[in-house]
Amino acid sequence: MTTRDHIIQTADQLIRAKGYNAFSFVDIANVVGIRKPSIHHYFPRKTDLGVAVIEYHIQQLQKIQKAFAVKCAVEKLDRFFLIYDDIKKHNKVCLVGSLTTDYNTLDVEVQDKLRYFSEVMLNWVTDFLEEGRCKKEFHFSEAPRTKALLIITNMIAIVQLSRVTEDKDFNLMKETIKKELLTN
Amino acid sequence: MTTRDHIIQTADQLIRAKGYNAFSFVDIANVVGIRKPSIHHYFPRKTDLGVAVIEYHIQQLQKIQKAFAVKCAVEKLDRFFLIYDDIKKHNKVCLVGSLTTDYNTLDVEVQDKLRYFSEVMLNWVTDFLEEGRCKKEFHFSEAPRTKALLIITNMIAIVQLSRVTEDKDFNLMKETIKKELLTN
DNA sequence: GTCTATATATAGATAGAC
DNA sequence: GTCTATCTATATATAGAC
């Protein structure tokens, strides 16, 4: 892995563990094993790093979309849940949840990139829900985009909320959502 | 309003607009019209202020619970939604959503108070959902606490997510949730 | 590409006068 | 109860040597 990628992935972990305004270049330097000013060689401003972290997430999601394009809707749903399994396992929150709460403190470049990432995510879920209903894998009465919003908001917030309720509420949400999609 | 209350309410607005780690005592001083060190007279540490803000929310919620104790479940649901209407109207997020994303940076006193507030909120929603189903006002198949988690996570995250999708997604969530509770 | 040194701003917090 | 002055730590960022 290149130093640049190591910085991006470390920033990503810190943003989702502590929040955008609670991580610093020193935190990253300590993990990557370089000095604070060296990070500016790759990312002149914190904003540049923030944008790069979101771009990394967009790339990862597009890889998943591509790899699962031929799979059935239930498999796509399971892959969607797997994203949050990983988040919950490491006691993080998702990038959209972390950055939307700090939204009013972000530079417009980060805001715009975040908007685009959210759009890609929402479109993907909307599409596989519609496909799943079309093929009788899923059953739901709402518009596919509305159902996608319901499910995505469940997942965004349960990784946050289960930090203070109970960890097992995470699996409870997942199982309830899946069961209801498969029933009827 | 006392200076102390003014500080608490200003801190509350700032936490939900920008996040816990993005507001400072100077921000509050500028709004309240006093100097930064004067705030320490009321709240020695930022942690003390954080705790007070959550306590304020607990009090507000308990007032609502009391005032609506005699009302029907649908009215309680509408009052629950009204909390989020106010949040969305002012482009804020809810306290639980804001503080759970910053959870790992909070002192344990704030964490514990936040856990208690979340419990009060979850219990209230669980109770009026159960009551509503009992009286045939609501229809749902999940356990009441599970349904409460589904609805609360929808609301926590839609005020966050609709900052980057579309504002009208907020009303869309609300109406969809209510319609499904009333149907069947 | 990484370093040391530094600039500049701001954070949370305290001391002590009024 | 509020102020000025100050402390200490840390933030983002830059300059310039190696």
Side-chain angles (χ1 to χ4, degrees):
Chain A
M1 184 162 49
T2 64
T3 301
R4 187 191 147 87
D5 285 345
H6 199 180
I7 292 168
I8 291 174
Q9 289 186 32
T10 305
D12 173 42
Q13 296 294 317
L14 288 167
I15 289 172
R16 294 185 297 106
K18 303 171 56 179
Y20 186 83
N21 293 307
F23 91 89
S24 74
F25 277 33
V26 173
D27 297 327
I28 295 176
N30 289 339
V31 174
V32 176
I34 54 178
R35 293 298 199 154
K36 180 173 63 159
S38 304
I39 299 170
H40 289 280
H41 170 74
Y42 301 95
F43 305 99
R45 302 165 303 157
K46 192 176 185 178
T47 291
D48 299 313
L49 178 52
V51 169
V53 167
I54 303 173
E55 279 171 348
Y56 168 71
H57 275 257
I58 293 169
Q59 287 165 13
Q60 294 301 112
L61 182 53
Q62 287 173 339
K63 277 186 198 173
I64 292 171
Q65 284 183 275
K66 207 168 177 179
F68 279 73
V70 295
K71 309 239 180 177
C72 71
V74 174
E75 285 171 309
K76 287 173 187 164
L77 177 70
D78 286 336
R79 187 62 189 80
F80 169 76
F81 281 146
L82 194 61
I83 294 171
Y84 291 89
D85 283 337
D86 187 66
I87 289 167
K88 183 61 193 168
K89 193 170 82 183
H90 297 97
N91 191 28
K92 303 260 187 332
V93 297
C94 89
L95 189 70
V96 174
S98 178
L99 292 181
T100 52
T101 59
D102 295 333
Y103 192 73
N104 294 331
T105 71
L106 304 174
D107 280 350
V108 67
E109 300 159 66
V110 183
Q111 290 181 339
D112 288 347
K113 192 64 77 175
L114 181 64
R115 173 169 290 109
Y116 179 68
F117 175 54
S118 304
E119 202 176 294
V120 173
M121 175 68 84
L122 180 57
N123 286 340
W124 180 50
V125 177
T126 299
D127 288 348
F128 76 62
L129 286 174
E130 186 165 24
E131 175 204 339
R133 185 164 65 177
C134 206
K135 294 183 179 167
K136 313 287 184 200
E137 291 180 77
F138 296 148
H139 307 273
F140 57 93
S141 57
E142 307 87 350
R145 183 177 177 282
T146 303
K147 188 67 178 173
L149 281 171
L150 285 165
I151 293 174
I152 289 171
T153 52
N154 284 146
M155 299 309 294
I156 287 175
I158 198 60
V159 291
Q160 298 171 14
L161 187 62
S162 65
R163 282 177 160 178
V164 290
T165 59
E166 301 184 58
D167 283 333
K168 64 182 170 58
D169 287 334
F170 173 76
N171 278 324
L172 178 63
M173 279 301 91
K174 241 177 40 181
E175 286 159 15
T176 304
I177 293 166
K178 185 166 179 179
K179 188 183 160 195
E180 295 193 356
L181 273 175
L182 298 177
T183 300
N184 186 11
Chain B
M1 185 163 48
T2 65
T3 302
R4 186 192 148 88
D5 285 344
H6 200 180
I7 292 168
I8 291 173
Q9 288 186 31
T10 305
D12 173 43
Q13 295 296 317
L14 288 166
I15 289 171
R16 294 186 296 107
K18 303 169 57 178
Y20 187 83
N21 292 306
F23 92 89
S24 74
F25 278 32
V26 173
D27 297 328
I28 294 176
N30 289 339
V31 173
V32 176
I34 53 176
R35 294 297 201 154
K36 179 173 66 157
S38 303
I39 300 171
H40 289 280
H41 171 74
Y42 300 95
F43 306 100
R45 302 165 302 157
K46 191 175 185 179
T47 290
D48 299 313
L49 179 52
V51 168
V53 166
I54 302 173
E55 279 171 348
Y56 169 70
H57 275 257
I58 293 169
Q59 287 164 13
Q60 293 302 112
L61 183 53
Q62 286 173 338
K63 279 186 197 173
I64 292 172
Q65 284 183 273
K66 207 168 177 179
F68 278 72
V70 296
K71 309 241 180 176
C72 72
V74 174
E75 285 171 309
K76 287 173 186 163
L77 178 70
D78 286 336
R79 187 61 189 81
F80 168 76
F81 281 146
L82 194 60
I83 295 172
Y84 290 89
D85 283 337
D86 187 65
I87 290 167
K88 182 61 193 168
K89 191 169 84 181
H90 297 97
N91 192 29
K92 303 263 186 330
V93 298
C94 89
L95 190 69
V96 175
S98 178
L99 293 181
T100 51
T101 59
D102 295 333
Y103 192 73
N104 294 331
T105 72
L106 304 174
D107 280 351
V108 67
E109 299 158 67
V110 183
Q111 290 180 340
D112 288 347
K113 193 62 77 174
L114 181 65
R115 173 170 290 110
Y116 179 68
F117 175 53
S118 304
E119 203 176 293
V120 173
M121 175 68 85
L122 180 57
N123 286 340
W124 181 51
V125 177
T126 299
D127 288 348
F128 75 63
L129 286 175
E130 186 166 24
E131 174 204 339
R133 185 165 65 179
C134 207
K135 295 182 180 168
K136 313 288 184 199
E137 292 180 77
F138 296 148
H139 306 273
F140 57 92
S141 57
E142 308 85 350
R145 184 177 176 281
T146 303
K147 188 66 178 175
L149 281 171
L150 285 165
I151 293 173
I152 289 172
T153 52
N154 284 147
M155 298 310 294
I156 288 176
I158 198 60
V159 292
Q160 297 172 13
L161 187 61
S162 65
R163 282 178 160 177
V164 291
T165 60
E166 301 184 58
D167 282 332
K168 64 182 169 58
D169 288 333
F170 173 75
N171 278 323
L172 179 62
M173 278 303 90
K174 242 178 35 180
E175 286 159 16
T176 303
I177 292 166
K178 185 166 179 180
K179 188 182 159 194
E180 295 192 355
L181 273 176
L182 298 178
T183 299
N184 184 13

